[in-house]
Amino acid sequence: MKKLLFIIVMLCLTIITTACDQQSTGSDELRPDNTIPDSDSNSDSDSDSDTDSDTDSDSDSDTDTDSDTDSDSDTDTDSDSDTGFNVDTDNMSPAQLPPGGLSLSDTPVFVSIGFDDNSYSGLEGSLGEGGITWATDFFRPLKNSDGTDARVSFFMSAIYIGSWMSESPALVKTAWHTVWADGHEVGDHTYAHSHGDAFTIEQWTDEISSCMDWLSKPYNPSAAAYDDNKDEGAGIPADEIYGFRTPFLEYNDNTMTALQNLGFTYDCSIEEGWEDEQNGTDYYWPYTLNNGSPGNPDIGSHNGLWEMPVYALIVPPDDKCAQYGIPAGLRDKLHALLDWFDPVSGKMVGFDYNWWVQFKMTKAEVVAMLKYNLDMRIAGNRAPMLFGAHTDYYNTKYTAPENATTTERQEALEEFIKYALSKKEVRVKPYKEILDWVKNPTPIQ
């Protein structure tokens, strides 16, 4: 009888959730007032940055990175604390050349996905397929060319295990614990997933700390699927939670102060690559916020706190489309859909909401864009290719995208990751492992 009641409740919640999906993006890329950016901006509106995105750079110059790029890189990482954060030693200016003076040929090309939110488990009883379980099942057997595991990062909003939201908290706890047990990185994405661009330091601290508390509560593998025990969590060791991303990419200087005070190693909320002169082959490598951020001049000095940027992606220009299996004219098509998209630079926000929902891209178009950007990284300065996604968008309960089914969305990321792993110089790694390499670079083996 209990089980029957649980199934009925879950079915009702699924119907409500699906209806909400049809009316709301549920995205980290949704503008607070539900409007699109001003027409003179091609950066996604969820960023607090006032970066001018009227770019004149031509992304077609995808292979001509000048190895003499004049960028300052000062790093001193001789000693780290147990959390990997040390304000006295971590200091690296934004730079367009690989760290440690390595040649491009000795530098690996790091690729990672930062999956945000993660509310749909995909487990039996959740009334949906895909989501977190799709991601962990897909990555589990994958290896880089050097034999190491291919793994990524997941940034969790703890409200999904602290209360009954999209599905049973017990199922979400199990899926999150599996993420960690499989060797992926688990990061903090606040508790309530609120709009925080006007938050105080205290508000940010409360949101971030509450998420940490829930993530690190003990995990009970024997919990019933419909359990909602407030004393149990995902079982992630607190000292293994290094990184943070803000909901909706909304942040302020108080965000970084709170992260510093809490001893986080890095933030990954600031968008980079929108500078006019940058074209996808020359993005900044991860840097510390000792002197603020080129991506947002409103961010002050936060010594030793690293930034792992949300990099702009570049839509293939007409003369590259055939090479990646799509018809010419994709940039013009996207501009016709939303006129603030700049068809000259072709720059697109590095998050899947923008591809699937906002610009209604197809599987083939997304795969082409991702492959094109990786190839530019390999031919360019080899800055990491970091982009954001949501495992929820790869679950059958999420129905907002119009031009790609759940299966097609899954296949798009799968095809890209397999393409990346086919390259001997590519390493698919979590953000923290990439940062470890940046701090102590060694030639690719």
Side-chain angles (χ1 to χ4, degrees):
M1 189 62 170
K2 240 180 177 180
K3 188 172 182 180
L4 178 59
L5 180 60
F6 166 67
I7 292 173
I8 293 171
V9 170
M10 286 296 294
L11 182 59
C12 292
L13 285 171
T14 300
I15 293 170
I16 293 170
T17 301
T18 302
C20 291
D21 278 341
Q22 304 281 3
Q23 299 175 34
S24 169
T25 64
S27 159
D28 275 2
E29 287 61 62
L30 179 63
R31 191 182 180 93
D33 56 4
N34 289 323
T35 63
I36 63 173
D38 295 335
S39 60
D40 64 349
S41 171
N42 57 7
S43 175
D44 188 67
S45 57
D46 55 0
S47 171
D48 281 344
S49 171
D50 292 326
T51 301
D52 181 7
S53 55
D54 285 340
T55 175
D56 296 321
S57 68
D58 186 355
S59 63
D60 297 0
S61 58
D62 52 305
T63 59
D64 298 327
T65 298
D66 184 357
S67 61
D68 294 326
T69 304
D70 186 16
S71 296
D72 180 37
S73 176
D74 299 315
T75 181
D76 178 4
T77 56
D78 293 337
S79 63
D80 288 336
S81 65
D82 290 340
T83 62
F85 174 81
N86 191 313
V87 296
D88 296 323
T89 60
D90 286 0
N91 181 7
M92 182 173 286
S93 301
Q96 292 170 293
L97 291 178
L102 289 182
S103 67
L104 293 177
S105 61
D106 283 336
T107 303
V109 181
F110 290 106
V111 172
S112 197
I113 305 173
F115 284 114
D116 289 5
D117 304 350
N118 306 298
S119 67
Y120 293 160
S121 70
L123 294 171
E124 184 178 358
S126 68
L127 304 181
E129 297 178 359
I132 304 167
T133 297
W134 157 74
T136 50
D137 285 351
F138 168 66
F139 277 101
R140 193 167 294 122
L142 299 184
K143 301 284 186 181
N144 292 291
S145 62
D146 63 352
T148 59
D149 292 337
R151 296 293 184 263
V152 293
S153 297
F154 292 72
F155 298 94
M156 313 301 199
S157 291
I159 194 169
Y160 299 116
I161 62 172
S163 61
W164 196 307
M165 296 290 290
S166 56
E167 58 188 54
S168 166
L171 295 176
V172 181
K173 290 172 187 177
T174 294
W176 288 9
H177 188 79
T178 299
V179 165
W180 172 77
D182 276 6
H184 299 281
E185 178 187 12
V186 173
D188 192 311
H189 195 46
T190 74
Y191 178 81
H193 201 278
S194 302
H195 294 282
D197 55 342
F199 272 10
T200 63
I201 294 173
E202 293 72 21
Q203 287 174 300
W204 279 117
T205 300
D206 181 64
E207 276 290 316
I208 297 166
S209 298
S210 294
C211 181
M212 288 274 288
D213 290 344
W214 276 99
L215 289 174
S216 59
K217 286 183 179 183
Y219 170 66
N220 178 10
S222 302
Y226 46 86
D227 234 345
D228 188 14
N229 190 325
K230 303 297 185 183
D231 294 324
E232 297 170 358
I236 314 299
D239 62 0
E240 293 185 21
I241 301 172
Y242 303 99
F244 173 77
R245 175 134 63 210
T246 56
F248 308 101
L249 297 186
E250 291 181 2
Y251 58 90
N252 54 27
D253 198 59
N254 294 333
T255 315
M256 309 308 167
T257 300
L259 291 175
Q260 237 183 336
N261 292 343
L262 291 168
F264 273 76
T265 304
Y266 72 87
D267 168 73
C268 56
S269 309
I270 298 177
E271 294 181 78
E272 288 289 355
W274 293 95
E275 291 84 348
D276 291 350
E277 66 277 8
Q278 293 186 5
N279 60 26
T281 69
D282 54 1
Y283 288 163
Y284 292 125
W285 279 75
Y287 55 88
T288 58
L289 296 175
N290 292 49
N291 298 304
S293 167
N296 188 342
D298 293 332
I299 297 301
S301 174
H302 298 277
N303 288 346
L305 181 63
W306 287 83
E307 185 59 39
M308 304 288 284
V310 178
Y311 291 107
L313 293 173
I314 296 182
V315 174
D318 286 354
D319 64 345
K320 299 292 183 182
C321 285
Q323 178 181 339
Y324 294 94
I326 58 173
L330 179 56
R331 290 186 179 186
D332 289 338
K333 173 185 172 182
L334 300 182
H335 177 69
L337 188 63
L338 293 173
D339 63 8
W340 53 263
F341 174 81
D342 180 11
V344 177
S345 71
K347 291 182 179 180
M348 166 76 68
V349 176
F351 252 99
D352 58 354
Y353 163 74
N354 303 86
W355 327 330
W356 298 125
V357 180
Q358 195 172 44
F359 284 97
K360 308 179 193 302
M361 293 174 73
T362 66
K363 168 191 169 181
E365 291 167 348
V366 168
V367 170
M369 178 177 66
L370 294 174
K371 288 181 176 180
Y372 175 61
N373 280 264
L374 177 59
D375 289 346
M376 284 196 294
R377 290 292 208 288
I378 294 172
N381 71 341
R382 301 201 166 187
M385 183 175 171
L386 311 176
F387 61 90
H390 305 79
T391 54
D392 295 356
Y393 294 7
Y394 306 89
N395 185 287
T396 53
K397 291 192 285 188
Y398 188 77
T399 60
E402 297 181 15
N403 292 330
T405 65
T406 302
T407 299
E408 288 172 334
R409 298 193 296 274
Q410 292 173 352
E411 290 174 347
L413 289 193
E414 290 172 359
E415 183 175 337
F416 168 69
I417 290 297
K418 289 177 180 177
Y419 179 78
L421 292 174
S422 72
K423 310 287 186 180
K424 61 180 175 52
E425 59 270 86
V426 169
R427 300 290 183 268
V428 177
K429 292 289 185 179
Y431 284 35
K432 175 57 169 57
E433 290 190 34
I434 296 172
L435 181 53
D436 287 343
W437 185 92
V438 170
K439 293 164 70 173
N440 295 286
T442 56
I444 192 170
Q445 299 300 313

